[in-house]
Amino acid sequence: MSKAADNIRFVIIMAATLFVMSLGALRLMKLQLVDGSSYLQKSLSSNTAEQVINAPRGEIADSSGEYLVSNKAGFNAVIQKAFFPTDNREINRIILKVANVLEEENVSWEDALPISENAPFEFLPDRESDIARLRKNIGVQVYGTAEECIIAMTGLYETDPQLTDREKRIIAGVRYTMYLRDFSVSNRYTFAEDITMEAVVRLKELTYELDGVDIVQEAVREVKTGDVIPHLIGTVGAISAEEYDQLKGSGYALNDTLGKGGIEKAMESTLRGKKGVRTLEIQGGAVVNDEITEEAVPGNTIKLTVDSDYQRKVQTILENHIYWLNNQTSSKAKGTEANAGALVVLDARSGALLAGATAPTYDLKDYLENYSKVANGENSPLLNRVTSGLYRPGSTFKTVTATAALNEGIISPTDVVNCQKYYTYWEGWSPECTGYHGRLNVVGALRESCNIFFYEVGRVMGIDRITEYASKYGLGEEMGLETGRGVKTGYIASPDTFEARQQVWQAGNVIQAAIGQSDTYVTPLQMADQALMIGNRGVRYQTYMVDSVYTYNMEELVSKTEPTVAAVIEDKTGHTFDKVIEGMEEAAAFKAYTYPTVKEYYTDSYLLTELPKKAAIKTGTPQMTSKSDTGSAFIGFYPADDPDIAFSGFVEKGEYSKLMIRELIEAYYNKDYHIEKLGGRTEEELAAALSDNEDTDSFDEDNEDLED
């Protein structure tokens, strides 16, 4: 090629270069001179945004001050909207990156999408309202499938179609939850709470490629003691759409948490605290100042009336009894199918709940970690039988009938009824008693638990008096326990109850009602309050479990619960309660026979006569669904003359529930009382502890039901 041609080429290249440079210069001049003021104004413009600072939730302690639920310093992975990209593909990349790190470190995150985690995608059970809301929010027809919802969200969020089904589901779940939690500059999004230190380190290392993702140290709810009254403590969780609609006027946001049950829910306003405010100054699209303009105020701490040590002992007493019943070795064993029950202990002077054991039970920590396993446990462990188990009270109800008959002058203390086992008032129907008791007055009838006596008294007195006094005793009534929801009221057999249940009331129903049968169903909590009222000779207190409220860390007392009288039965005769209590004292001392298998576990430790003072009790063996399906119940108080505690118990399909009473009383007075769980022993230890004892010669076949 000639030198002239090279020169021409050089000139052309230089001209092109100068042309491009000229265009750049013109563009730069336009930016600086024509649009410069506009861009300068944008760079100088600023605005502010406020972010909420969550307040630490108040803690929950037992009566001794031991924390059951508290807060700990934990690390949360959050996303700040002000620093988060707006491009969908970049958003999806960051979400997947964070999710992968968390998954590899076995850290879970919140996912409100009601669709299974893996393909083939299906809607989750029992989420109908959430599914309907999802379809509406993403524009899918009302009968759209889970697969169709995932496809719709893949398009809505511009998800890369080359990603796996699992990755598409992760993105859909996180982004939909962001939407539900109102993710914005004012409301950051909490991706995951209380993440591991390994996850913290890994996410911190990736900060440069995870715009908007931050690790913050905050107060995280911690269950410190999960095996103490878990049903009554409750849990916290993310606010639902329905809850938000009700609470948004009270300052709640879509990304808030709140109590979901028990004390956590009932005392929400006390535990919640007051949110703080962080003010962000944004200039030119960047945060240039970050200042806390209002400090958060922690919620108040609640101190309960329940002592953890005593609660555990009562729980063990109940579980041991059921275990012993299941593992009896005597040929005359009874109640071997026992599978559930409840024990309640109240402060007789105030109505405060001291212990409330239910079996089977669960640990709150297990509930939070694996809800499905707990919920699907055998014999419904999520049912709090203390407050929500409805049972026929059986012969424990005879104290109500006795009170009404004595107080209204239907009978006197000396009036007698002749029990010949069968009640023959009606021709063609002869309900029976547990034995031939002969002539008994009211004290003897309570001691022997004679059906015939109370059949006759109930028939003469009528159902109106029975239901009137049952109501005063709190049976079928609100108990006042702070947890509220889930505390059932039950009902008493009456013409009104039968009509409401579309049943026909007959004259013979009144005598069944008089002995706690028919359609009378009450809770163990109500039965304990019934015992309390007898022990206090006609004064019944409202039950409660919140002893006091303190500022955070229990630094200052805010309020103290004072006992509240719920009802009073005036002793019109001056001897009404004396006679009922006398009958209950004799029932406590009554030992008509040796329990057939008692020496396998209880030996003579069950005898109430060995206590320092007299006890007062009434037992019952109510039929649950049929004559062969019975339970074992008791009510009582101690000491009989001036009680410290009142109590009740019920064992479903069980027997001999009164054998637990002495342990229950002794454990109350001795905090170091040793109760070893039977269920934790080896086969060899059990064989020794439950060795067969055939010494049952004194067992009276005719008195098998004397407990009732």
Side-chain angles (χ1 to χ4, degrees), residues 7 34 88 91 122 225 363-364 422-423 448 453 456 524 538 561 582 597 629 663 683:
N7 290 335
V34 180
N88 275 321
I91 290 173
E122 297 179 348
T225 304
D363 191 303
L364 266 179
Y422 297 98
Y423 188 64
E448 305 279 352
F453 182 94
E456 178 64 10
T561 304
E582 184 181 345
T597 58
D629 180 14
E663 281 188 313
E683 290 186 12

Side-chain angles (χ1 to χ4, degrees), residues 487-546:
V487 180
K488 293 188 177 179
T489 58
Y491 40 87
I492 306 301
S494 69
D496 290 341
T497 299
F498 270 54
E499 182 179 357
R501 295 165 66 81
Q502 298 181 332
Q503 297 174 339
V504 178
W505 177 264
Q506 298 177 346
N509 290 122
V510 68
I511 70 169
Q512 293 298 322
I515 65 166
Q517 290 291 143
S518 188
D519 268 21
T520 292
Y521 287 90
V522 299
T523 68
L525 180 65
Q526 290 174 328
M527 293 166 66
D529 213 18
Q530 170 193 345
L532 178 149
M533 192 174 205
I534 300 170
N536 288 331
R537 287 170 163 74
V539 177
R540 179 168 65 85
Y541 292 106
Q542 183 171 293
T543 58
Y544 66 95
M545 61 180 293
V546 174

Side-chain angles (χ1 to χ4, degrees), residues 180-244:
L180 292 180
R181 299 290 172 257
D182 193 27
F183 178 47
S184 64
V185 173
S186 299
N187 288 323
R188 74 183 189 195
Y189 177 69
T190 301
F191 202 116
E193 286 189 325
D194 196 21
I195 66 176
T196 64
M197 187 54 63
E198 290 79 9
V200 169
V201 172
R202 290 186 60 184
L203 289 175
K204 281 288 188 181
E205 290 174 347
L206 296 171
T207 299
Y208 69 95
E209 60 176 290
L210 299 176
D211 292 344
V213 177
D214 195 11
I215 303 298
V216 295
Q217 187 173 10
E218 293 184 314
V220 176
R221 203 66 168 162
E222 178 185 30
V223 175
K224 297 185 74 69
T225 304
D227 62 341
V228 173
I229 54 171
H231 304 80
L232 295 174
I233 295 295
T235 59
V236 297
I239 192 170
S240 68
E242 293 85 355
E243 289 167 332
Y244 175 69

Side-chain angles (χ1 to χ4, degrees), residues 50-62:
E50 291 185 342
Q51 277 189 352
V52 169
I53 303 174
N54 291 325
R57 191 172 178 84
E59 299 170 306
I60 302 174
D62 75 351

Side-chain angles (χ1 to χ4, degrees), residues 57-132:
R57 191 172 178 84
E59 299 170 306
I60 302 174
D62 75 351
S63 62
S64 67
E66 177 187 336
Y67 285 107
L68 305 179
V69 180
S70 63
N71 300 310
K72 67 176 181 178
F75 292 98
N76 296 342
V78 303
I79 297 178
Q80 304 279 9
K81 181 74 170 180
F83 306 99
F84 205 47
T86 57
D87 176 71
N88 275 321
R89 290 184 179 268
E90 183 64 8
I91 290 173
N92 295 341
R93 181 192 68 78
I94 292 174
I95 288 173
L96 272 183
K97 191 71 175 178
V98 174
N100 287 337
V101 170
L102 295 178
E103 201 163 42
E104 288 170 6
E105 298 298 337
N106 296 314
V107 175
S108 60
W109 60 88
E110 185 189 4
D111 187 326
L113 193 62
I115 295 176
S116 60
E117 293 184 355
N118 298 294
F121 297 114
E122 297 179 348
F123 289 123
L124 299 178
D126 303 321
R127 299 282 296 275
E128 286 74 14
S129 61
D130 294 333
I131 294 167

Side-chain angles (χ1 to χ4, degrees), residues 335-496:
T336 56
E337 295 182 0
N339 56 12
L343 287 180
V344 182
V345 184
L346 300 177
D347 186 325
R349 295 185 173 90
S350 66
L353 181 70
L354 301 179
T358 183
T361 187
Y362 61 92
D363 191 303
L364 266 179
K365 295 178 182 179
D366 296 333
Y367 178 95
L368 295 172
E369 292 173 3
N370 194 339
Y371 169 79
S372 297
K373 182 178 180 181
V374 173
N376 295 320
E378 192 175 1
N379 297 319
S380 305
L382 291 183
L383 173 62
N384 183 11
R385 289 167 167 83
V386 168
T387 61
S388 303
L390 289 178
Y391 304 109
R392 285 173 172 166
S395 293
T396 64
F397 190 88
K398 291 172 181 174
T399 56
V400 177
T401 304
T403 303
L406 285 166
N407 215 37
E408 297 300 327
I410 306 300
I411 60 172
S412 73
T414 58
D415 287 342
V416 298
V417 171
N418 188 16
C419 169
Q420 295 299 314
K421 191 167 183 175
Y422 297 98
Y423 188 64
T424 58
Y425 180 81
W426 287 285
E427 186 176 347
W429 181 47
S430 301
E432 61 184 295
C433 193
T434 57
Y436 295 89
H437 296 124
R439 295 170 62 82
L440 293 173
N441 60 17
V442 66
V443 171
L446 287 170
R447 179 190 68 238
E448 305 279 352
S449 198
C450 177
N451 288 348
I452 305 303
F453 182 94
F454 289 101
Y455 284 157
E456 178 64 10
V457 170
R459 182 191 64 78
V460 173
M461 183 165 52
I463 193 63
D464 290 343
R465 290 292 192 196
I466 294 173
T467 56
E468 175 190 350
Y469 275 79
S471 178
K472 290 179 179 178
Y473 269 115
L475 304 178
E477 302 293 326
E478 297 284 352
M479 286 287 94
L481 202 67
E482 292 87 347
T483 52
R485 181 182 176 185
V487 180
K488 293 188 177 179
T489 58
Y491 40 87
I492 306 301
S494 69
D496 290 341

Side-chain angles (χ1 to χ4, degrees), residues 314 317-318 321 340-346 355-358 385-386 389 391-394 396 522-531 617-622 631-637 646-652 655-661 664 707:
V314 173
I317 290 168
L318 175 62
H321 186 71
L343 287 180
V344 182
V345 184
L346 300 177
T358 183
R385 289 167 167 83
V386 168
Y391 304 109
R392 285 173 172 166
T396 64
V522 299
T523 68
L525 180 65
Q526 290 174 328
M527 293 166 66
D529 213 18
Q530 170 193 345
I617 69 166
K618 183 70 195 79
T619 60
T621 310
S632 181
F634 67 80
I635 62 171
F637 45 91
F647 42 80
S648 70
F650 197 101
V651 181
E652 297 178 21
E655 286 283 351
Y656 317 125
S657 63
K658 71 176 286 185
L659 301 184
M660 295 184 284
I661 296 176
L664 182 151
E707 209 183 340

